[in-house]
Amino acid sequence: MRCAVYARVSTDMLAQKDSLENQRSFFEHYIMQKEWRLHDIYPDEGISGTSTAKRLELQRLMKDAESRKFEVVLVKSLSRWARDTVDSITLVRRLKSYGICLITVDDNYNSFDDVNEMRLQMYSMFAQQESESASVRVKFGIAERSRNGVFHGTPPYGYDKVAGKLVPNPQHAQTVRLIYRLYLYEGWGWQKIANYLTDKKVPSPRRLMGAKNAGHAWHETAVKIILSNRHYTGDLVQGRSKVDRGNKLFNQERGYKMRQQVEESRWIIVEDAHTAIISREEFTAVQEKLANKARTKFRGRGKKSLFARLAFCSDCGKGMNYKNDREGYVCATYQKRGSKACASHFIRHDTLKEMVLSDLRALSENALNQDSLLEESLLKAQVNSNQAATELSQVQNRSQRLQQEQLELVRALTRNVIDDDTFQMSNAALKEEQNALKERERILEGIVSHQQENECFVQKFREEIKRFVAFQIDDEEVLRDVLHRLIECIEVKDGNEIVIHYSFENPLSSGAE
């Protein structure tokens, strides 16, 4: 009997590692006494049993089970197997579908003997209740230690964690003070501060944490988080979020646990729990400034610039941001990262508006005389479409005849009218012609579809351009609506050059046939 052993411990503490070794030793002797054969041991170390998402060894075991590499899976107990009732039952059913039995030693459980799964459900519910009770006990202990000033988790940027207490880091605490000074007293924005820290090669928070793919660049979100963190005043603030256990399916699919915010009245706050880096007065002033900025930004959403989400930088592809003080647009990348990242592509609002309207006027001036051109374009589209449709019908008919010839060829072979060599040669020739016809059919279908789209484009273009002529373009609200329907995007190049991409094909353009 080929056996697989699954062993799991929920932490990487030394005592738990000994427990894992004990499980290995026990099952090796167990298998020897049974005179079975050990296929492999699948150990998950320091992994919780409440989810299967990060249990890589369990996933490897199930993959090997699907390949029928063993007949039995041995586990110390169902609580080691899974602490979630649904997971436990689902995994056992999968093993059964592969013809594989699960045996747990402590529970004396055998999945092949448990026909109606009553014991499985009972043991699994006990394991889940045990896990939930343990979770409550752990949370209670963490909350009590938090009330005594013990910090849990990764320390905020600028602090080190020493014996559960936050202690200012001599180097990085200075960076925190610099960020507050630049924002509060110098009037710098988040992105400008981030750019400055990046240029000065100050280690970013993610880099200090050793995060994967952490770069040298600071981001404005990191600056904002530092400006909003109350820990810098010396207060310990914990319990602001918790795991969303009601979103279990999402947690498993993403491989991490979703967290939900806890209302402020339930936070654990201990004042003066550690040495402050920022004074309470400065922190309060920064929060007021952040709140004012948020309110100003919200109010500003009522009126958008005329070319918002229409004008883009031709080099980096980012949007062009309107600057009130310059009455024009600049590349968003340039605004955030400076000239090293991209050129400004600055263009005045009035200049851009006149260039776009001039191009539209060139189209609208021909509105009264364009019907003949449009009709000619429509007629040509219809002719091309008809020619392609006729050939497509011929190709489809030929394909049907080839299928009939193949059927007759098979019948001739079964009646011994032709030998196998003749069949193979004739069949290969038919298949080759069929493949060529399928490719031609695909091309013709594309032509027919494209011509039909062209016809639709021409008609819509005529409707939109005539609608544009009827509008009062001095009204920017009306004009904005028209521009967003007529124009896909506007590329802004250096030197006040633009390229307009219309939402509809322009039959009057020089490239139209």
Side-chain angles (χ1 to χ4, degrees), residues 357-411:
L357 292 182
S358 294
D359 200 77
L360 285 169
R361 289 191 194 101
L363 299 176
S364 62
E365 284 173 0
N366 294 317
L368 298 177
N369 300 320
Q370 68 180 348
D371 277 354
S372 60
L373 293 175
L374 291 170
E375 292 302 331
E376 182 180 346
S377 180
L378 287 172
L379 180 60
K380 183 176 181 180
Q382 186 63 43
V383 170
N384 291 339
S385 178
N386 289 341
Q387 291 175 346
T390 300
E391 185 180 352
L392 178 61
S393 177
Q394 294 171 349
V395 167
Q396 291 172 340
N397 290 335
R398 177 56 182 162
S399 294
Q400 293 177 357
R401 289 198 297 271
L402 287 179
Q403 291 177 359
Q404 185 63 33
E405 289 180 25
Q406 272 190 316
L407 180 59
E408 293 174 357
L409 192 63
V410 172
R411 290 173 178 171

Side-chain angles (χ1 to χ4, degrees), residues 436-453:
L437 287 173
K438 285 181 180 178
E439 177 62 20
R440 183 58 182 167
E441 183 177 356
R442 184 187 64 81
I443 294 173
L444 290 171
E445 286 177 343
I447 293 174
V448 172
S449 175
H450 181 67
Q451 294 295 354
Q452 290 172 346
E453 289 175 358

Side-chain angles (χ1 to χ4, degrees), residues 82-86 123-133:
R83 286 185 176 268
D84 179 85
T85 303
V86 175
Y123 288 143
S124 298
M125 284 190 293
F126 287 157
Q128 182 170 334
Q129 288 177 356
E130 179 187 345
S131 174
E132 292 172 352
S133 298

Side-chain angles (χ1 to χ4, degrees), residues 100-113:
I100 297 174
C101 176
L102 176 74
I103 295 177
T104 67
V105 178
D106 289 357
D107 308 316
N108 194 26
Y109 177 78
N110 185 310
S111 61
F112 280 3
D113 295 337

Side-chain angles (χ1 to χ4, degrees), residues 416-431:
N416 294 323
V417 175
I418 59 175
D419 57 22
D420 188 63
D421 290 342
T422 304
F423 171 80
Q424 294 293 347
M425 183 174 60
S426 301
N427 190 50
L430 289 173
K431 283 186 176 181

Side-chain angles (χ1 to χ4, degrees), residues 149-349:
V150 177
F151 179 83
H152 297 277
T154 303
Y157 185 89
Y159 280 108
D160 295 325
K161 187 164 69 171
V162 180
K165 295 286 187 176
L166 292 179
V167 178
N169 179 284
Q171 177 185 355
H172 305 308
Q174 292 298 327
T175 302
V176 174
R177 295 187 183 99
L178 174 63
I179 290 172
Y180 273 77
R181 179 172 62 81
L182 292 176
Y183 184 77
L184 185 59
Y185 302 113
E186 303 296 332
W188 288 23
W190 307 330
Q191 190 62 54
K192 185 175 181 179
I193 295 173
N195 292 343
Y196 177 79
L197 296 174
T198 301
D199 292 341
K200 294 297 182 181
K201 294 182 169 50
V202 176
S204 66
R206 284 179 54 80
R207 195 162 188 82
L208 288 181
M209 289 171 56
K212 293 182 179 179
N213 303 321
H216 295 280
W218 279 72
H219 299 284
E220 63 175 22
T221 51
V223 174
K224 183 181 178 183
I225 289 172
I226 290 174
L227 291 171
S228 307
N229 196 330
R230 183 173 167 180
H231 282 112
Y232 296 120
T233 66
D235 293 347
L236 181 70
V237 184
Q238 298 199 131
R240 290 177 293 182
S241 65
K242 65 179 181 179
V243 175
D244 182 6
R245 297 192 178 277
N247 217 335
K248 181 177 182 297
L249 178 61
F250 184 90
N251 296 341
Q252 289 185 342
E253 289 179 347
R254 298 301 189 273
Y256 58 86
K257 296 177 180 178
M258 291 289 294
R259 304 194 68 85
Q260 58 182 190
Q261 297 302 311
V262 175
E263 58 186 47
E264 188 172 349
S265 61
R266 297 173 58 191
W267 293 358
I268 298 174
I269 301 176
V270 181
E271 294 186 354
D272 300 320
H274 50 265
T275 303
I277 295 177
I278 301 298
S279 70
R280 296 185 187 279
E281 293 75 17
E282 286 180 317
F283 183 79
T284 301
V286 166
Q287 304 319 300
E288 291 176 354
K289 185 173 181 179
L290 290 172
N292 289 334
K293 180 175 181 179
R295 285 193 293 269
T296 302
K297 184 176 182 181
F298 180 79
R299 287 197 302 268
R301 290 176 183 171
K303 183 177 180 180
K304 299 176 182 177
S305 62
L306 183 60
F307 296 101
R309 299 190 303 279
L310 274 184
F312 295 88
C313 172
S314 63
D315 288 344
C316 69
K318 295 294 184 180
M320 299 290 291
N321 292 344
Y322 182 75
K323 303 291 292 180
N324 286 313
D325 55 343
R326 301 181 66 183
E327 297 183 348
Y329 300 84
V330 296
C331 167
T333 301
Y334 172 84
Q335 184 180 347
K336 284 189 174 185
R337 301 296 176 86
S339 58
K340 295 180 180 179
C342 192
S344 68
H345 292 77
F346 176 77
I347 186 169
R348 289 184 59 82
H349 172 79

Side-chain angles (χ1 to χ4, degrees), residues 113-130:
D113 295 337
D114 188 18
V115 179
N116 56 10
E117 296 183 341
M118 184 175 294
R119 292 182 63 199
L120 175 62
Q121 293 180 30
M122 181 178 64
Y123 288 143
S124 298
M125 284 190 293
F126 287 157
Q128 182 170 334
Q129 288 177 356
E130 179 187 345

